[in-house]
Amino acid sequence: MRLATSFSVRQKLLAVVLLTTLTALLVAIAVMVGFDLRNYRQSLISDMTTQADLLGRTTAPALTFDDPRVAQENLELLRYRPQIRAAAIYNARGKMFASYSNKDGGEFPRLPEADGTRIEGNELVLFKRVLGNREILGTVYLRADYELYDRLVGYLGIAAVVAAIAMLVAYVLSRRLQQIVTSPLLAIADVAREVTEKRAFSLRAPKLSKDEIGMLAESFNTMLAEIERATRDLQASNEVLGREIAEHNRAEQEILRLNTELEQRVKERTAQLEFTNGELEAFCYSVSHDLRAPLRAIDGFSQALLEDFPKDVPEEAQRYLARIRSSTQRMGQLIEDLLNLSRVSRGGLERRDADISELARQVVTELQNREPQRKVDISIWDGMRANADSRLLRAALENLIGNAWKFSSKTDKPRIEIGSLSNDGRAVFYVRDNGAGFDMAYANKLFGAFQRLHSGNEYQGTGIGLATVQRIVHRHGGRIWADAKPGKGAAFYFTLESDGVEKAGRDMAEAQA
Amino acid sequence: MIFRLCALVASLAAMAPIPALAQAERTAAETQIKAAFLYKFSAFVEWPPKAFARPDSPFTIGVIGADELAADLEQIVKGRTVLERAVVVRRMRRGEPLAGIQMLFIGQAEAARLAEILAIAKGQSVLTVTESEDALSRGSMINFVFVDDKVRFDVALPEAERGLLKISARLLAVARKVVTSS
């Protein structure tokens, strides 16, 4: 059966037709031959029996009147029946009365046998009693050709020839006739192959018949139409999609171009701004620097007046001089701060492993040395470290801790805490006090230069410190924010790294709120 | 009966080729064969219906001048039938009418008066059988001859036809000679 799958429909049909023809032919021939042979045998037996009867009747007088010559003459007539090889007449006593044999000759049975026929090889042997007037006159013996095998061989030869001719005719006929069946099928197969190879869904199989194959062609065509429609839809949607993608790409490129343009513009503006800013700072620095010398002169000479001429200067004048000195000193501090702010902006950023805890302790020690009478509860966490410029970091801590020191001066039990939080593995440092605090409504003004939330009478300060701190934190890429309540103290948080800090800071702020 | 018949026929056949026997023996055998042939002729001859007086009339064979043969024939026909009729052998004398006779055998003893006897039978449906030379020319229908030590017979058809008798061709086939016209 595996063989059967590899042949074409045409070949299979041909094979079926030929096989069927051959089978029918063989069966028909076998039946006919069988029938004929049976007929032959029966007719031969009946023929020979008749012949024997005839012979018996003809030779009956010869037997009756004991005339072997006549019997012999009768037997001689058998030469017109060449199929009879031998014949003999026996008289009633069983003695041979007359005999005949054709050229083949042959032997005769010594004694006659009872009536009957039998086949001996390719010979038919027959014994027949001769009756006359109710008496047994003798016996006829006949031996004839029994050509069953010859006939069989002959029939097989004829069968072979007939089969060959029939197969040839069947082959020629079926080759023509099978086209009725196969041509619609092959037409569909051709179309199917073409559709598969060329993806030409617009092709249609021809409907050449109204039978099952016709229905197949119809179904196939319906399917093709469906595929064609689906393909067309798909192509259409593909085209739409393609257009959309192209549009999208164009838009993206437009955006990219705009971005580039924007960046360029930003760069230009930044450069301009930086240039302007630099000039401004340079100007600010030189002014501040240059202002220090005359201030120092004013302060110095005021001091010299007070010290060198204690008696010549009236008391009133001395008081004025003292006020001049205090003002010049304040102005000096202001200039110093401005210069600091300027310095923070200028110069390089040298990141190194910095010990924040140690820096904070140094700052606190300095403050305590300056005002040893103040009792402040200070706690500094150990082991706070950061990758930062320690000079700038110290300046920031000086400002933040200094503020805490300053704004907790009027509190009963002042307390300052310097510590750190960890958020997503990034450190958030803080400086917290329980001092005056401030209203969060002004939180946005905290880090601007010269912004003061408290009056100079209450707390001394130039209003530049937090601006400096913010600038330092920003230069590290970090962020700074505050949380406070009036009278309840303030807390300043800052980070020194850029990534994720913003989010961390926001979370912290929310947590504090 | 069949057995007896077989034995009889067998004995006849055995004697058919008669060797050099004593004249008497030879004659006896010859007589027996002739008797058997006489009986057997009946099977090959057709008689007209008027040959029999009644439907149940016996088949009668008349014998003149051959007592031995008559005796043999009586032996042979005993219990037998011809044409569904009983068979009777009648020993006859010269001049006796032939009424009721279907077959008449005229022996050698009456050869001298053969013409006389045959004249009576002429025109009657009686199968006449003789054993004399030249008998056919004198009006006999079947005449026995002795040829090659065998009993054979000649047949004269015109005489038989005159007596409205039909002699079977099969019988003619075994006859030594058949006379078809006078």
Side-chain angles (χ1 to χ4, degrees):
Chain A
M1 272 296 108
R2 200 176 309 149
L3 258 175
T5 55
S6 59
F7 289 110
S8 72
V9 173
R10 208 183 282 250
Q11 287 166 321
K12 280 178 198 161
L13 267 179
L14 201 61
V16 165
V17 167
L18 291 185
L19 211 63
T20 311
T21 308
L22 188 65
T23 309
L25 211 61
L26 289 183
V27 169
I29 287 173
V31 169
M32 277 172 63
V33 167
F35 184 74
D36 185 89
L37 290 179
R38 184 172 146 274
N39 237 13
Y40 166 72
R41 183 195 156 99
Q42 281 179 347
S43 72
L44 182 69
I45 288 175
S46 114
D47 184 24
M48 286 303 126
T49 307
T50 308
Q51 184 72 55
D53 266 340
L54 211 62
L55 212 57
R57 269 189 78 75
T58 331
T59 52
L63 280 168
T64 305
F65 298 105
D66 189 27
D67 195 343
R69 189 182 49 79
V70 172
Q72 189 66 41
E73 279 170 13
N74 288 338
L75 285 183
E76 290 298 334
L77 289 173
L78 288 176
R79 69 176 177 277
Y80 299 113
R81 295 290 303 271
Q83 72 188 109
I84 295 174
R85 294 184 178 179
I89 307 287
Y90 295 84
N91 66 17
R93 285 202 311 138
K95 198 158 184 277
M96 193 182 279
F97 187 64
S99 70
Y100 157 85
S101 70
N102 65 6
K103 57 188 181 293
D104 295 342
E107 296 182 351
F108 296 94
R110 214 166 51 78
L111 286 170
E113 296 174 17
D115 277 11
T117 53
R118 64 167 187 273
I119 308 293
E120 281 180 359
N122 56 352
E123 289 182 332
L124 179 83
V125 173
L126 182 144
F127 286 97
K128 183 82 184 169
R129 291 274 158 81
V130 181
L131 292 174
N133 207 14
R134 295 188 192 162
E135 290 168 21
I136 296 169
L137 300 176
T139 307
V140 173
Y141 163 77
L142 277 183
R143 203 167 75 226
D145 285 336
Y146 182 61
E147 296 164 329
L148 190 74
Y149 301 109
D150 295 344
R151 283 175 90 90
L152 188 60
V153 169
Y155 276 133
L156 289 182
I158 292 172
V161 172
V162 167
I165 293 171
M167 294 301 277
L168 194 70
V169 171
Y171 177 77
V172 172
L173 264 182
S174 73
R175 267 193 81 90
R176 305 231 160 167
L177 292 181
Q178 71 171 355
Q179 287 178 352
I180 296 169
V181 177
T182 54
S183 65
L185 208 57
L186 292 179
I188 296 174
D190 283 344
V191 171
R193 190 166 47 244
E194 209 168 333
V195 165
T196 317
E197 282 171 359
K198 301 181 181 168
R199 303 190 61 77
F201 298 117
S202 59
L203 288 175
R204 290 292 178 272
K207 189 185 172 185
L208 299 176
S209 54
K210 285 185 176 171
D211 53 5
E212 291 88 336
I213 298 174
M215 277 164 60
L216 175 67
E218 224 160 66
S219 305
F220 182 63
N221 285 342
T222 312
M223 200 178 74
L224 275 181
E226 193 66 24
I227 292 174
E228 190 185 19
R229 199 183 54 71
T231 311
R232 215 173 21 237
D233 288 357
L234 202 65
Q235 273 174 352
S237 78
N238 267 353
E239 274 169 26
V240 169
L241 210 63
R243 266 201 300 281
E244 279 174 2
I245 287 172
E247 201 124 326
H248 184 76
N249 281 345
R250 216 172 20 255
E252 210 163 60
Q253 274 176 350
E254 183 68 19
I255 288 168
L256 226 64
R257 195 182 58 75
L258 286 174
N259 269 351
T260 321
E261 229 176 76
L262 204 63
E263 263 174 34
Q264 187 59 34
R265 210 176 292 166
V266 165
K267 218 177 274 174
E268 283 168 9
R269 291 283 160 81
T270 310
Q272 276 178 14
L273 271 174
E274 274 175 353
F275 180 72
T276 317
N277 215 21
E279 278 201 327
L280 207 60
E281 275 178 2
F283 170 73
C284 188
Y285 182 82
S286 61
V287 166
S288 307
H289 195 268
D290 293 350
L291 282 175
R292 263 201 313 196
L295 266 181
R296 210 170 283 135
I298 295 168
D299 187 41
F301 284 112
S302 300
Q303 192 180 6
L305 271 176
L306 281 172
E307 285 174 3
D308 293 352
F309 310 98
K311 305 229 176 92
D312 302 333
V313 179
E315 211 161 305
E316 186 83 7
Q318 280 188 16
R319 220 170 37 245
Y320 289 162
L321 279 172
R323 284 186 72 172
I324 287 168
R325 277 202 67 193
S326 136
S327 286
T328 50
Q329 275 168 8
R330 254 176 52 214
M331 192 171 178
Q333 185 60 47
L334 185 61
I335 288 167
E336 192 65 33
D337 285 353
L338 277 171
L339 281 173
N340 273 342
L341 181 61
S342 182
R343 245 181 250 121
V344 162
S345 305
R346 298 146 73 93
L349 187 74
E350 291 176 29
R351 277 184 187 273
R352 221 173 273 134
D353 182 38
D355 190 342
I356 295 177
S357 303
E358 178 56 30
L359 287 171
R361 269 193 288 277
Q362 286 175 8
V363 172
V364 167
T365 308
E366 216 168 275
L367 284 168
Q368 281 172 336
N369 286 344
R370 212 178 294 163
E371 289 178 85
Q373 76 283 357
R374 274 197 67 184
K375 295 276 185 269
V376 179
D377 178 14
I378 293 178
S379 80
I380 300 169
W381 290 28
D382 284 330
M384 292 186 294
R385 311 186 82 86
N387 187 29
D389 188 317
S390 54
R391 187 180 60 81
L392 291 178
L393 198 55
R394 187 190 163 113
L397 286 173
E398 274 172 359
N399 274 299
L400 287 173
I401 299 171
N403 279 348
W405 182 272
K406 185 162 68 188
F407 291 112
S408 61
S409 58
K410 291 175 179 164
T411 310
D412 270 353
K413 285 179 181 170
R415 205 167 57 78
I416 298 172
E417 187 188 351
I418 299 129
S420 76
L421 303 166
S422 181
N423 194 315
D424 287 344
R426 290 188 182 82
V428 178
F429 304 99
Y430 65 88
V431 177
R432 185 186 294 154
D433 65 74
N434 58 351
F438 54 86
D439 192 338
M440 282 299 283
Y442 306 112
N444 58 336
K445 292 184 174 177
L446 273 176
F447 302 102
F450 308 114
Q451 296 289 342
R452 290 180 56 91
L453 298 184
H454 301 274
S455 66
N457 299 336
E458 264 183 301
Y459 301 98
Q460 289 198 332
T462 56
I464 291 173
L466 281 177
T468 310
V469 172
Q470 191 190 36
R471 199 163 284 187
I472 290 167
V473 169
H474 282 180
R475 287 206 66 187
H476 282 86
R479 222 176 87 84
I480 185 163
W481 68 99
D483 180 41
K485 269 183 185 166
K488 299 270 177 163
F492 286 87
Y493 303 87
F494 65 93
T495 65
L496 295 168
E497 291 165 277
S498 56
D499 282 346
V501 168
E502 243 176 42
K503 182 175 174 290
R506 200 162 54 247
D507 290 350
M508 289 306 303
E510 278 164 12
Q512 294 276 331
Chain B
M1 191 179 85
I2 299 279
F3 177 74
R4 203 159 54 84
L5 258 176
C6 283
L8 178 70
V9 173
S11 64
L12 280 174
M15 286 176 188
I18 297 167
L21 294 167
Q23 184 61 37
E25 287 174 356
R26 212 195 73 167
T27 309
E30 198 182 318
T31 304
Q32 273 191 342
I33 290 169
K34 283 176 180 169
F37 277 23
L38 265 183
Y39 164 69
K40 287 174 181 176
F41 284 150
S42 64
F44 299 92
V45 178
E46 206 177 298
W47 278 265
K50 72 176 174 70
F52 296 96
R54 292 191 309 276
D56 61 342
S57 295
F59 183 85
T60 312
I61 304 171
V63 179
I64 298 178
D67 285 345
E68 279 175 40
L69 187 141
D72 286 339
L73 190 58
E74 275 168 352
Q75 282 292 315
I76 290 167
V77 303
K78 194 174 283 175
R80 294 194 178 180
T81 58
V82 169
L83 303 171
E84 314 279 309
R85 295 164 193 270
V87 185
V88 174
V89 177
R90 193 193 290 178
R91 298 168 198 242
M92 298 178 73
R93 293 183 191 287
R94 206 179 319 128
E96 209 171 312
L98 297 176
I101 302 286
Q102 281 78 40
M103 193 189 288
L104 178 65
F105 180 72
I106 304 160
Q108 190 71 48
E110 294 290 342
R113 281 161 296 277
L114 194 62
E116 185 188 332
I117 299 167
L118 287 171
I120 300 168
K122 203 174 193 98
Q124 293 199 40
S125 297
V126 176
L127 182 74
T128 50
V129 182
T130 53
E131 53 176 352
S132 311
E133 264 179 54
D134 214 17
L136 291 187
S137 61
R138 285 187 236 171
S140 172
M141 295 177 189
I142 297 173
N143 187 39
F144 285 120
V145 288
F146 199 74
V147 182
D148 298 337
D149 287 343
K150 276 189 154 188
V151 176
R152 302 248 65 92
F153 52 88
D154 297 337
V155 179
L157 277 179
E159 287 301 326
E161 280 163 9
R162 209 164 290 142
L164 301 176
L165 299 178
K166 288 178 184 167
I167 297 177
S168 166
R170 297 165 67 211
L171 183 66
L172 300 181
V174 289
R176 187 194 69 160
K177 194 169 84 186
V178 176
V179 177
T180 50
S181 60
S182 47

